[in-house]
């Protein structure tokens, strides 16, 4: 009877032992399962961290934009005047491009020529009547101001257009040289020189403005002075970008 009783209890004891052994494993698997499962819930912190690093990397090297109300810092410096001086540098570059880097396809190509006389400086088209005799010849009728013929001829020769004018009575004949590839490349080099000159002038304006700010920093916080200087630098960067655009456009025009 004892043996029979044990034979009956043995399966029940075994089942109980199996449950006790298995239960920790099941609990452990339930705890670890989320770490093994690539669900969005458990990986979102990594995603946010990656996005943050990516945003920081993108922002690295970029200067925060500053927009100061010029009226609030007028006792430090006139930002409007600084902007005007910087814009004047850009306008001077455009003027240099127009006056000195023409391909000479019309009488208007000589409009920028300035003639120095005893009475002052005058545009060539105010002293003489400019006309196109042929695609290869420009005529300048100086009958209204014959006393300026020598000065006008000198101005034409001294221009950057590689001109060789000839005087015939009251008429100045200006042969139009063929626009060769070499000449176009020389004009493109000259355009780059004008661009570098403009950037030098721009740096001078920025430097003078920063110096003025530092001289008047008394009575103002360091943060305010720093923001004003940053605003000036930002203005200079914008004009420098415009200079590069003007140079790129002119170079493309000259090289064809």
């Amino acid at each position: 009877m004892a043996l029979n009783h044990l034979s009956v209890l043995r399966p029940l004891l075994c089942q109980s032992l199996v449950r006790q052994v298995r239960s920790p494993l099941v609990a452990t698997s339930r705890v670890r399962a989320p770490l093994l499962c690539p669900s969005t819930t458990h990986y979102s912190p990594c995603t946010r961290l990656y996005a943050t690093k990516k945003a920081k990397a993108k922002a690295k090297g970029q200067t925060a934009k500053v927009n100061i109300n010029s009226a609030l810092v007028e006792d430090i410096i006139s930002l409007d005047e600084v902007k005007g001086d910087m814009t004047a540098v850009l306008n001077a570059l455009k003027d240099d491009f127009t006056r000195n880097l023409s391909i000479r396809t019309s009488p208007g190509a000589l409009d920028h020529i300035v003639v120095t006389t005893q009475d002052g400086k005058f545009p060539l088209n105010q002293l003489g009547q400019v006309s196109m005799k042929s695609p290869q010849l420009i005529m300048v009728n100086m009958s209204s101001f014959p006393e300026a013929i020598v000065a006008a001829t000198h101005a034409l020769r001294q221009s950057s257009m590689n001109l060789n004018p000839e005087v015939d009575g009251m008429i100045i004949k200006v042969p139009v040289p063929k626009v060769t590839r070499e000449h176009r490349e020389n004009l493109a080099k000259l355009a780059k020189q004008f661009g570098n000159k403009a950037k030098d002038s721009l740096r001078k304006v920025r430097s003078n403005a920063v110096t003025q700010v530092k001289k008047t920093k008394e009575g103002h916080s360091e943060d305010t002075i720093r923001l004003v200087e940053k605003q000036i630098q930002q203005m200079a960067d914008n004009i420098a970008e415009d200079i590069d655009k003007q140079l790129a456009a002119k170079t493309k025009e000259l090289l064809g």
Side-chain angles (χ1 to χ4, degrees):
M1 291 294 293
L3 292 174
N4 291 334
H5 183 69
L6 290 173
S7 63
V8 173
L9 293 175
R10 185 178 290 112
L12 296 175
L13 291 172
C14 290
Q15 291 178 4
S16 176
L17 289 173
V18 168
R19 282 196 298 270
Q20 291 178 7
V21 172
R22 285 183 176 178
S23 59
L25 294 176
V26 173
T28 304
S29 64
R30 287 177 181 174
V31 173
R32 295 181 178 179
L35 297 178
L36 299 176
C37 179
S39 64
T40 56
T41 302
H42 295 284
Y43 279 83
S44 59
C46 296
T47 304
R48 288 196 297 271
L49 178 60
Y50 172 75
T52 302
K53 289 183 176 180
K54 186 176 181 180
K56 288 182 178 179
K58 184 178 180 181
K60 186 177 181 181
Q62 295 181 353
T63 304
K65 296 296 183 180
V66 180
N67 188 13
I68 300 177
N69 187 337
S70 59
L72 298 179
V73 295
E74 59 183 3
D75 57 333
I76 300 176
I77 192 172
S78 174
L79 292 176
D80 291 336
E81 289 184 7
V82 175
K83 184 177 180 180
D85 292 341
M86 291 182 177
T87 302
V89 171
L90 179 63
N91 292 336
L93 175 66
K94 294 178 181 179
D95 187 52
D96 282 335
F97 281 171
T98 301
R99 293 189 303 119
N100 299 298
L101 300 178
S102 176
I103 301 298
R104 305 176 306 272
T105 57
S106 67
L110 301 182
D111 287 349
H112 70 279
I113 300 295
V114 177
V115 182
T116 302
T117 68
Q118 294 180 349
D119 298 325
K121 296 182 179 181
F122 302 93
L124 177 63
N125 57 6
Q126 289 186 10
L127 299 177
Q129 183 179 358
V130 183
S131 61
M132 202 82 179
K133 181 69 174 179
S134 70
Q136 290 77 36
L137 182 63
I138 297 178
M139 308 284 283
V140 184
N141 189 332
M142 299 291 297
S143 57
S144 298
F145 296 93
E147 66 276 10
I149 290 178
V150 175
T153 303
H154 178 74
L156 288 165
R157 285 201 178 97
Q158 294 300 313
S159 71
S160 60
M161 299 175 65
N162 193 29
L163 300 175
N164 187 25
E166 300 175 358
V167 178
D168 183 8
M170 298 292 177
I171 304 296
I172 300 177
K173 298 180 179 179
V174 186
V176 179
K178 184 178 179 180
V179 182
T180 62
R181 184 66 184 181
E182 180 182 3
H183 182 58
R184 288 179 177 271
E185 291 175 353
N186 289 335
L187 290 179
K189 291 178 181 179
L190 186 58
K192 187 175 181 179
Q193 292 177 12
F194 284 134
N196 291 335
K197 177 184 176 183
K199 285 188 175 182
D200 288 341
S201 298
L202 178 63
R203 281 191 288 268
K204 185 175 181 180
V205 172
R206 182 198 62 80
S207 178
N208 290 340
V210 171
T211 299
Q212 182 179 343
V213 170
K214 291 181 177 179
K215 287 181 178 180
T216 58
K217 66 181 181 179
E218 293 184 4
H220 300 278
S221 66
E222 293 183 1
D223 289 340
T224 299
I225 297 300
R226 191 178 300 110
L227 285 175
V228 174
E229 291 178 352
K230 186 176 289 187
Q231 176 79 69
I232 293 172
Q233 182 62 55
Q234 182 175 294
M235 292 161 58
D237 291 342
N238 292 338
I239 296 296
E241 184 177 348
D242 289 338
I243 289 175
D244 288 337
K245 289 180 180 178
Q246 290 291 326
L247 177 59
K250 193 63 180 182
T251 301
K252 183 178 180 180
E253 172 192 333
L254 293 172
L255 295 179

